Amino acid sequence: MGVAKYTKDEKGAIKTVTYQSGIKVKPVYGPEDLEKAGFDYDKDLGAPGEYPFTRSLHPQSYRSRAWTTRQYTGFGTPAETNERFKLMIANGQNGLNVAFDLPTQMGYDSDHPLAQGEVGRVGMAVDSLKDFETAFAGIPLDRIGSGLTINAVATIMMAMYQAMAEKFGYSKTRISTTPQNDILKEMIGRGAWIFPVEHGVRLVGDSIEYAVKELPRSNPVSLCGYHIRESGATPAQEIAYAFEIAKAYIDNVVQRGINPSEFVGRFSFNFNVYGNMWEQIAKFRAARKLWAKMLKNEYGVTDKKKLFLRGLFGGGGSGLTKEQPENNIMRGAYYALGAALSGAQTTALCSFDEAYTIPTPRSALLSLHTLEILMDEVGLRDTVDPLAGSYFIETLTLEMEEKILEEMKEVEDLGGMVGCIASGLIQRKLSGQAYEFEKGLQSGEYKKVGLDPGSKDNDPGATNVELHEYNDKWAQISKANLKELKRTRNDKEVASTLKALENAARFDENVMPYLVKCCHAYATVGEMAGVFRQTFGEWKEPDFY
Amino acid sequence: MLKTKDILSGNKLAGARLIRFIEDNDPCAFKLLKELYPYSGNAFIIGITGPPGAGKSTLIDGLILEFRKYGKKVAVIAVDPTSPVSGGAILGDRLRMQRHAADDGVFIRSMASRGQAGGLSRATKDTALVFDAMGYDIIIIETVGAGQAEFEIAGLAHSIGVVSIPGTGDGIQAIKAGILETCDIFIVNKCDRPDADAKVLSLKMMLGMRKPDKTGWTPRIVKTIAPDGTGVKELADTFLSHFEFMEQNSSINEKRKELELLYFQSLLKDLTLEKILLFIKESKDFKAAAGKIKSRRMDPLTAAEKIVNKICVF
Amino acid sequence: METKNKIRVLIAKPGLDGHDKGAKIVALALRDAGMEVIYSGLHQTLDQIIQTAIQEAVDVIGLSIMSGAHLPISEKLISMMKEKGIDDIRLTVGGVIPHQDIPGLKKMGVAKVFPGGTSFDDIISGMNSLFE
């Protein structure tokens, strides 16, 4: 049943329950379990808003403010994206979350052969600063922050955001941007990597260092356990690997002589709500606690606010089925309930049609309403951390903490995350787990409602859904704009800024200021990424079996 | 219909399909190989072996690049183990060489060991023959070395490179297993690791005890860092200089003859075995013996002994 | 020699999409069904896929496409396969494929379509059925 392992007796009564992270669940919990686990209120929980923040980051949690929600926007041309942005802001949204198309994510311009058929498909197409000027025209950049879902070329997009803001007359000290910028998880899960591992990490380090020195309101990294989980990780591994990745970035910046206290407070996280609800709740509570403990004990961070595990707990893509897609609406509601019961600060849900396509406006609205129902109708804002003190939840939270630490230790014993990813150890482990899990799902060992193994009724293609259509005109417009740009810009300036960028890349200077200059000169994303490709080479993915 | 002249002209599709016939042990391959044989004998065959995870595929990716810069046409045979349970395999070595996939002068062929001991087989030799006749200047055979394979590869290649990495006992174990006598170039990969120098030193010590081989070649040690290409050019040049060395003192001819004799012997063994087994399996004696074994009236040891004794009267 | 009639499959990820979990677990399932699987890795051009299929002499190309671009990609690949004389290699397509696109794919010459959620058993028997 569900994603946990259950054994039953001949009458169907449950005998054993084992969660994905490997924790065995007892039929009944009582005070003796807390005692056995060595539970200590002050050490393990503390008051909400107090170290180690197991209960909540803020003393009043949802009482003072309901969770914030984020919707992913951006498709087609920058002009169309700009219309969407304005509409969302008019509807009261205080932050934008920008999706980029695949060519942009991979550092190719719209006229590159590999961009064919992909321009504007899964997000906005960006070739140069001109496109950012169009997309963000009329947006109050000192009030509205922007999340940028970009990784391999995050440095380029951060620089472009700054250049665009400066063109519009905003000082770089007043703007706020949060690029995803988590290249190591791309190498584990989402596949939008370009450069070899150590160069990828160096670029993340450059952007953090630059944010510390020049962009006081920007958050340079958003760590995604989410995609690691989607790639086959257990909930404990999701947290453990994200933390180990965070440590790889922190260590890179610390080597530059910067104190962790200057930047760790600006890290945010993105975790997955998919799975057994109790396991997720324990995962989030344990994660808040472990992050704070790790920063305090290993990196000497003392300022309370810098110990916060800030971020978005949401999504749940792996839980969705293509069969009977309406069921996904219910699944989403329960995932969100789990997130709320664990005190998620920010959330967002996958839309029910996401197993098929980019969400349609209708399905995106349904997700938003689901979240509103929980906060405004069901009563989840009534009190802070309602499950605290539960014999079960507190025991489980402690066990989860143990499991996460075990997984972290394994990575550290193998020399840390950079090496484990470069050699493919993590990827091999996760693809094997994903395979075993999928087999279990197909044999009925794990259960998803509406997905009956062996039944011919659930022909996987037997559902028609409304589709978000691809429009070829996006590519035509982008290519025409690019051609016009290349005709009108100052080629000498482009060449000299790119040359300076190449030197910085080669001689280990921080590339960010050079990228800003390239952007101002209207160098294209493809040209800037091309300099990096030339200098760093491209990553060769390790085998996975 | 496959034509010898297409293969000789370097047509990749024709070559690839012949290799598939070889692999599937299709009888038509034998005839074609016979026709191709007179056109072979020009390629320089390199064997690369070493433990899993030593970075062999990434090194070969770099070697292809270097050899291409010299204008050489390069073919790669990458052998991966077949799963003993399912008989299937994932052939992933080419994953790291994929940037050369669309290069006209490069041919990469993955091959499953299909239950052959040591992972190498006659199919590898036959395939090398096809590449040779197709006009590839350099043929690289990649195989996972875990003891036995090094000796097998010695029967296929003109120059053998063994990859080891610092911080593991693999290299040393390989030497203990006798690789010292067969290896021409020791490759210490991942040389950015702190204990790389210790590894090189220990190899040097071991090699100090070895006399030059009968061709007069003294084995070399090359340090590499495969991912960023450090040392790969030097490695390519070392292989080429080994080839030149053998050409200059004509030992390459001796080596080629030696390999052809080995090929002849392995063919003899395979064909004899195939023919005799086929003959036995169709005989009355075999069927009778099988029946007796099933009903436990005779033990398999006695049955096998009886049949063989009957055939091998001499 | 134990050699006959092994199905050789190229699992390929065309284009820029990097979601490869599906491709990888299908590769593992096909291996466990006794097939020889060549995995192309991410970010492949159609030319690389064609050249790999030729050099590896595969029986089937299995494309994994999650970006929604399955129709134009399949169409282009099929015309390239014809041009290179390898249209006897069977083409199968898996990934995020909406029901309404399946007839179109079949019509252009895709031998089998395996939308996300197709069981391993169905993929394996579908592959095997191409060679019965």
Side-chain angles (χ1 to χ4, degrees):
Chain A
M1 292 189 291
V3 298
K5 266 191 186 153
Y6 291 80
T7 58
K8 293 180 183 173
D9 67 15
E10 60 283 357
K11 287 180 185 155
I14 292 171
K15 275 165 63 188
T16 65
V17 181
T18 313
Y19 287 163
Q20 283 191 299
S21 304
I23 296 167
K24 287 194 169 24
V25 179
K26 295 172 36 171
V28 181
Y29 286 81
E32 68 282 2
D33 292 295
L34 290 183
E35 203 172 306
K36 206 173 125 200
F39 176 78
D40 176 300
Y41 182 85
D42 291 323
K43 179 169 80 54
D44 291 315
L45 285 185
E50 293 299 328
Y51 182 85
F53 313 106
T54 314
R55 302 195 60 180
S56 165
L57 297 180
H58 302 289
Q60 294 283 309
S61 192
Y62 299 143
R63 277 218 160 195
S64 51
R65 208 173 66 153
W67 54 20
T68 49
T69 68
R70 276 279 167 87
Q71 261 183 287
Y72 200 59
T73 348
F75 69 97
T77 61
E80 283 166 307
T81 304
N82 182 253
E83 279 172 38
R84 274 256 185 143
F85 282 171
K86 286 183 172 158
L87 189 74
M88 291 170 76
I89 291 169
N91 286 341
Q93 192 143 328
N94 51 12
L96 300 169
N97 222 7
V98 188
F100 295 93
D101 70 358
L102 286 170
T104 308
Q105 291 183 45
M106 291 299 297
Y108 292 120
D109 289 336
S110 300
D111 59 356
H112 192 279
L114 270 167
Q116 209 185 351
E118 290 291 355
V119 178
R121 185 185 284 275
V122 299
M124 173 168 77
V126 178
D127 289 329
S128 77
L129 180 59
K130 274 269 182 319
D131 298 317
F132 259 37
E133 289 168 14
T134 309
F136 291 94
I139 308 289
L141 297 171
D142 49 351
R143 282 197 297 111
I144 302 283
S146 304
L148 309 174
T149 308
I150 195 85
N151 293 279
V153 294
T155 47
I156 295 174
M157 288 303 148
M158 265 177 98
M160 198 172 283
Y161 195 83
Q162 179 191 327
M164 175 272 296
E166 285 168 348
K167 278 258 145 101
F168 288 140
Y170 295 97
S171 154
K172 64 187 174 193
T173 57
R174 290 172 61 213
I175 55 167
S176 169
T177 177
T178 305
Q180 198 166 74
N181 203 11
D182 180 3
I183 194 62
L184 290 177
K185 73 91 178 38
E186 292 293 329
M187 292 168 163
I188 294 179
R190 210 173 141 265
W193 41 259
I194 307 174
F195 317 113
V197 186
E198 65 278 14
H199 297 287
V201 173
R202 174 253 170 117
L203 287 176
V204 175
D206 278 6
S207 59
I208 297 172
E209 181 184 32
Y210 186 73
V212 168
K213 292 177 178 162
E214 306 289 338
L215 302 171
R217 293 186 58 214
S218 288
N219 305 304
V221 179
S222 181
L223 293 127
C224 297
Y226 187 93
H227 304 93
I228 299 172
R229 173 94 171 109
E230 294 273 307
S231 302
T234 67
Q237 288 165 341
E238 173 189 3
I239 303 293
Y241 295 170
F243 284 0
E244 286 299 330
I245 287 174
K247 286 173 97 166
Y249 301 152
I250 294 173
D251 293 344
N252 181 286
V253 181
V254 168
Q255 278 170 15
R256 302 164 188 233
I258 298 170
N259 189 312
S261 294
E262 292 185 65
F263 62 89
V264 290
R266 292 202 244 162
F267 281 14
S268 63
F269 288 88
N270 181 356
F271 288 125
N272 207 323
V273 286
Y274 153 66
N276 176 291
M277 188 174 79
W278 311 118
E279 193 182 9
Q280 304 316 305
I281 293 170
K283 172 181 88 178
F284 292 128
R285 296 173 96 241
R288 264 197 304 265
K289 177 179 171 186
L290 277 173
W291 178 247
K293 276 169 78 172
M294 186 178 99
L295 291 184
K296 192 175 170 188
N297 299 336
E298 289 179 44
Y299 292 103
V301 180
T302 49
D303 182 352
K304 195 168 116 181
K305 284 203 165 153
K306 291 177 178 163
L307 299 173
F308 283 3
L309 181 131
R310 296 179 305 122
L312 182 147
F313 307 162
S318 281
L320 308 189
T321 57
K322 291 178 68 183
E323 299 77 7
Q324 306 174 22
E326 297 83 355
N327 288 350
N328 295 330
I329 301 171
M330 265 74 82
R331 286 193 180 98
Y334 296 121
Y335 293 157
L337 174 66
L341 288 173
S342 58
Q345 210 190 7
T346 305
T347 194
L349 278 180
C350 283
S351 300
F352 75 94
D353 52 2
E354 205 149 316
Y356 270 94
T357 181
I358 306 174
T360 56
R362 180 173 153 267
S363 66
L365 201 64
L366 258 168
S367 302
L368 206 61
H369 287 162
T370 306
L371 300 176
E372 284 171 6
I373 289 167
L374 279 170
M375 282 291 144
D376 301 339
E377 285 185 27
V378 174
L380 284 162
R381 291 186 64 181
D382 297 356
T383 187
V384 181
D385 191 21
L387 298 182
S390 150
Y391 301 128
F392 172 46
I393 290 298
E394 297 304 355
T395 310
L396 192 61
T397 302
L398 287 170
E399 286 175 327
M400 196 54 135
E401 191 182 334
E402 282 300 307
K403 289 287 174 197
I404 296 168
L405 286 170
E406 270 171 35
E407 297 286 355
M408 289 176 74
K409 183 169 182 306
E410 187 181 279
V411 172
E412 284 171 26
D413 286 349
L414 289 163
M417 207 48 162
V418 172
C420 284
I421 289 174
S423 67
L425 272 171
I426 297 287
Q427 297 92 314
R428 272 198 286 284
K429 185 166 175 162
L430 295 188
S431 60
Q433 284 180 192
Y435 177 47
E436 290 306 320
F437 182 72
E438 188 60 32
K439 281 200 284 189
L441 207 53
Q442 294 183 10
S443 70
E445 186 181 5
Y446 304 112
K447 168 117 181 150
K448 267 188 192 174
V449 172
L451 210 161
D452 183 13
S455 162
K456 286 293 155 205
D457 297 341
N458 46 40
D459 167 14
T463 13
N464 272 308
V465 288
E466 200 184 328
L467 276 184
H468 180 98
E469 288 291 332
Y470 177 68
N471 195 332
D472 201 41
K473 78 163 198 252
W474 294 328
Q476 287 163 21
I477 293 171
S478 290
K479 280 196 244 180
N481 287 344
L482 187 59
K483 215 172 163 187
E484 178 62 16
L485 175 89
K486 286 192 176 168
R487 202 178 58 78
T488 51
R489 65 181 184 176
N490 180 341
D491 285 340
K492 261 194 187 152
E493 200 190 342
V494 172
S496 74
T497 54
L498 286 173
K499 184 71 202 156
L501 176 65
E502 189 194 321
N503 285 333
R506 197 174 301 283
F507 299 111
D508 274 343
E509 223 182 310
N510 193 316
V511 295
M512 288 300 302
Y514 298 93
L515 284 169
V516 175
K517 284 189 187 124
C518 291
C519 291
H520 272 301
Y522 294 99
T524 67
V525 173
E527 288 164 340
M528 291 181 270
V531 166
F532 291 159
R533 279 192 160 93
Q534 278 289 319
T535 315
F536 303 144
E538 294 191 38
W539 193 46
K540 292 189 213 0
E541 56 186 311
D543 54 40
F544 64 90
Y545 51 91
Chain B
M1 191 56 206
L2 276 182
K3 292 196 190 89
T4 314
K5 74 168 172 36
D6 289 339
I7 295 164
L8 288 173
S9 73
N11 181 314
K12 280 186 175 172
L13 184 56
R17 297 209 160 166
L18 172 55
I19 294 166
R20 182 68 195 272
F21 284 138
I22 290 168
E23 204 172 31
D24 288 348
N25 207 16
D26 190 301
C28 82
F30 207 81
K31 184 180 154 283
L32 284 160
L33 282 168
K34 281 195 279 188
E35 289 172 18
L36 292 177
Y37 187 83
Y39 302 93
S40 69
N42 307 307
F44 176 42
I45 305 176
I46 293 171
I48 301 268
T49 187
K56 296 182 291 296
S57 304
T58 310
L59 274 175
I60 293 174
D61 171 74
L63 283 175
I64 297 173
L65 192 74
E66 296 303 330
F67 290 142
R68 291 297 291 144
K69 283 184 195 160
Y70 291 124
K72 307 272 185 200
K73 289 177 74 184
V74 186
V76 177
I77 308 170
V79 185
D80 257 335
T82 291
S83 154
V85 183
S86 68
I90 292 183
L91 308 170
D93 291 332
R94 75 172 295 134
L95 196 56
R96 257 150 284 151
M97 309 171 201
Q98 200 54 4
R99 62 171 159 165
H100 305 291
D103 180 345
D104 264 350
V106 177
F107 194 133
I108 301 163
R109 180 57 153 80
S110 314
M111 202 168 254
S113 59
R114 295 196 181 179
Q116 313 290 327
L120 280 186
S121 62
R122 204 181 89 210
T124 316
K125 170 72 200 179
D126 292 348
T127 302
L129 197 161
V130 177
F131 285 143
D132 193 343
M134 283 175 81
Y136 287 93
D137 304 301
I138 294 173
I139 301 166
I140 304 174
I141 302 173
E142 174 187 358
T143 170
V144 174
Q148 201 53 43
E150 291 88 345
F151 300 107
E152 287 203 57
I153 209 167
L156 292 168
H158 305 128
S159 184
I160 314 272
V162 174
V163 187
S164 61
I165 45 178
T168 63
D170 295 317
I172 305 299
Q173 266 163 19
I175 288 164
K176 278 185 190 156
I179 193 64
L180 198 61
E181 282 78 33
T182 46
C183 180
D184 303 296
I185 297 167
F186 288 89
I187 305 157
V188 182
N189 194 23
K190 307 192 184 178
C191 260
D192 43 348
R193 293 201 182 166
D195 40 0
D197 289 338
K199 182 86 179 188
V200 172
L201 206 66
S202 71
L203 273 172
K204 275 188 181 152
M205 268 178 61
M206 296 283 197
L207 288 176
M209 294 182 275
R210 176 181 152 176
K211 289 176 241 132
D213 66 10
K214 58 186 170 190
T215 71
W217 172 259
T218 317
R220 306 286 159 83
I221 300 173
V222 181
K223 288 163 63 171
T224 56
I225 306 168
D228 68 8
T230 305
V232 177
K233 185 184 184 305
E234 193 198 335
L235 180 62
D237 290 344
T238 309
F239 273 118
L240 292 177
S241 70
H242 184 210
F243 189 48
E244 276 163 30
F245 175 87
M246 287 189 292
E247 282 211 305
Q248 271 164 16
N249 71 7
S250 297
S251 60
I252 187 82
N253 297 330
E254 293 309 309
K255 198 146 207 167
R256 285 193 205 279
K257 278 182 216 161
E258 209 176 286
L259 295 187
E260 294 320 274
L261 278 173
L262 282 172
Y263 183 39
F264 167 61
Q265 286 176 32
S266 84
L267 281 166
L268 211 54
K269 196 173 95 188
D270 284 359
L271 295 184
T272 317
L273 205 64
E274 271 169 43
K275 288 241 157 108
I276 293 182
L277 270 180
L278 196 71
F279 171 74
I280 291 175
K281 280 185 177 168
E282 281 170 0
S283 70
K284 270 190 294 185
D285 290 346
F286 177 82
K287 280 165 197 153
K292 281 181 188 167
I293 291 166
K294 272 188 206 156
S295 60
R296 297 189 73 86
R297 278 179 293 140
M298 191 187 284
D299 68 284
L301 303 110
T302 314
E305 196 178 44
K306 273 193 161 179
I307 290 181
V308 175
N309 284 344
K310 196 170 168 187
I311 295 168
C312 303
V313 283
F314 49 88
Chain C
M1 279 209 277
E2 171 231 343
T3 49
K4 288 266 150 73
N5 297 331
K6 281 232 163 60
I7 297 178
R8 276 174 78 87
V9 188
L10 168 63
I11 297 289
K13 284 287 302 178
L16 300 176
D17 169 59
H19 292 89
D20 55 2
K21 182 173 86 172
K24 286 175 173 177
I25 63 178
V26 166
L28 290 166
L30 296 179
R31 175 198 64 188
D32 288 351
M35 299 181 199
E36 290 180 357
V37 185
I38 292 110
Y39 176 58
S40 73
L42 288 175
H43 314 147
Q44 297 291 298
T45 63
L46 295 188
D47 195 30
Q48 280 175 308
I49 293 171
I50 292 276
Q51 286 302 328
T52 305
I54 290 176
Q55 291 168 28
E56 296 290 353
V58 294
D59 304 298
V60 195
I61 300 173
L63 293 180
S64 164
I65 308 173
M66 317 292 276
S67 71
H70 44 277
L71 289 169
I73 289 176
S74 305
E75 194 170 11
K76 182 92 192 287
L77 191 76
I78 287 170
S79 83
M80 288 171 77
M81 286 167 75
K82 282 186 184 145
E83 197 183 300
K84 296 282 178 187
I86 54 164
D87 44 333
D88 54 339
I89 296 177
R90 309 307 179 87
L91 178 65
T92 66
V93 179
V96 182
I97 315 288
H99 181 57
Q100 57 265 39
D101 289 347
I102 296 176
L105 286 166
K106 292 253 171 94
K107 205 174 150 207
M108 63 176 77
V110 174
K112 291 275 175 194
V113 181
F114 303 117
T118 309
S119 72
F120 293 145
D121 286 347
D122 288 347
I123 294 173
I124 292 160
S125 62
M127 290 268 187
N128 280 321
S129 74
L130 295 171
F131 303 98
E132 276 160 6

